[in-house]
C-alpha cells in the first residue's frame, strides 16, 4: 500500500507554468506506475499523463501533449508534472495515482491509490 500527497498547485496567469509534486510513503513506490489526472465539478476524472515504474516510459493525453511533462524520481518516492502554457481550461483539481501493474495506463479504474488532490486555477 502507498499513500500519496500532492503539492504545488495554486493560482497562475494564462501562459504561465506550475510544477506539481506527488510524494509517496509506504512500501514499494518504485513498483508502481504513476499517473496524473484532473477533475472539474460535474465531469469525469481525466487522464493527463502516466509513467511506467522502471523504464520511465511515458504516456500523454492529446490535450496536454507538448505542454505537460511527467517525470519520477524513485529515490525520492516522487512523481512530478511540469505544466507549461497553462490556459483557463486547465483549471481543475489535480490528482496523482498509483497503478500496481507497472506500465502506464489511462483509465482511473486502473489505479488503486490516490492522493487528496491539489487545486490549480488559471486566470485569463
Amino acid at each position: 500500500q502507498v499513500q500519496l500527497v500532492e503539492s504545488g498547485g495554486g493560482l497562475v496567469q494564462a501562459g504561465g507554468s506550475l510544477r506539481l509534486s506527488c510524494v509517496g510513503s509506504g512500501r514499494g513506490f518504485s513498483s508502481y506506475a504513476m499517473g496524473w489526472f484532473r477533475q472539474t465539478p460535474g465531469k469525469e476524472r481525466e487522464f493527463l499523463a502516466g509513467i511506467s515504474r522502471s523504464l520511465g516510459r511515458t504516456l500523454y493525453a492529446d490535450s496536454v501533449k507538448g505542454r505537460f511533462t511527467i517525470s519520477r524520481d524513485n529515490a525520492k518516492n516522487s512523481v512530478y508534472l511540469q505544466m507549461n502554457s497553462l490556459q483557463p481550461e486547465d483549471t481543475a483539481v489535480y490528482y496523482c495515482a498509483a497503478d500496481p501493474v507497472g506500465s502506464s495506463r489511462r483509465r482511473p479504474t486502473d489505479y488503486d491509490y490516490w492522493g487528496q488532490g491539489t487545486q490549480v486555477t488559471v486566470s485569463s
Side-chain angles (χ1 to χ4, degrees), residues 51-79:
I51 187 166
S52 65
R53 60 186 173 186
S54 57
L55 297 179
R57 291 175 178 160
T58 57
L59 184 67
Y60 293 95
D62 288 343
S63 58
V64 304
K65 196 175 296 183
R67 297 191 301 128
F68 291 9
T69 302
I70 188 171
S71 61
R72 69 187 297 163
D73 185 342
N74 287 336
K76 295 182 179 180
N77 281 5
S78 295
V79 62

Side-chain angles (χ1 to χ4, degrees), residues 2-73:
V2 63
Q3 295 80 42
L4 303 171
V5 178
E6 303 97 335
S7 62
L11 175 64
V12 64
Q13 289 188 332
S17 299
L18 282 175
R19 187 191 194 213
L20 305 183
S21 299
C22 172
V23 178
S25 59
R27 298 177 63 87
F29 177 86
S30 61
S31 68
Y32 294 92
M34 298 299 296
W36 284 97
F37 293 76
R38 67 186 177 191
Q39 191 169 24
T40 54
K43 292 190 176 181
E44 294 185 352
R45 199 159 290 190
E46 176 190 9
F47 171 81
L48 300 174
I51 187 166
S52 65
R53 60 186 173 186
S54 57
L55 297 179
R57 291 175 178 160
T58 57
L59 184 67
Y60 293 95
D62 288 343
S63 58
V64 304
K65 196 175 296 183
R67 297 191 301 128
F68 291 9
T69 302
I70 188 171
S71 61
R72 69 187 297 163
D73 185 342

Side-chain angles (χ1 to χ4, degrees), residues 68-123:
F68 291 9
T69 302
I70 188 171
S71 61
R72 69 187 297 163
D73 185 342
N74 287 336
K76 295 182 179 180
N77 281 5
S78 295
V79 62
Y80 309 98
L81 187 68
Q82 177 66 44
M83 305 187 295
N84 299 327
S85 302
L86 285 163
Q87 298 301 316
E89 52 266 34
D90 294 314
T91 295
V93 178
Y94 284 68
Y95 299 89
C96 69
D99 176 359
V101 167
S103 59
S104 53
R105 298 189 288 179
R106 295 178 181 269
R107 298 179 304 177
T109 52
D110 293 330
Y111 292 77
D112 286 359
Y113 304 106
W114 293 82
Q116 83 289 347
T118 186
Q119 176 71 46
V120 171
T121 303
V122 185
S123 63

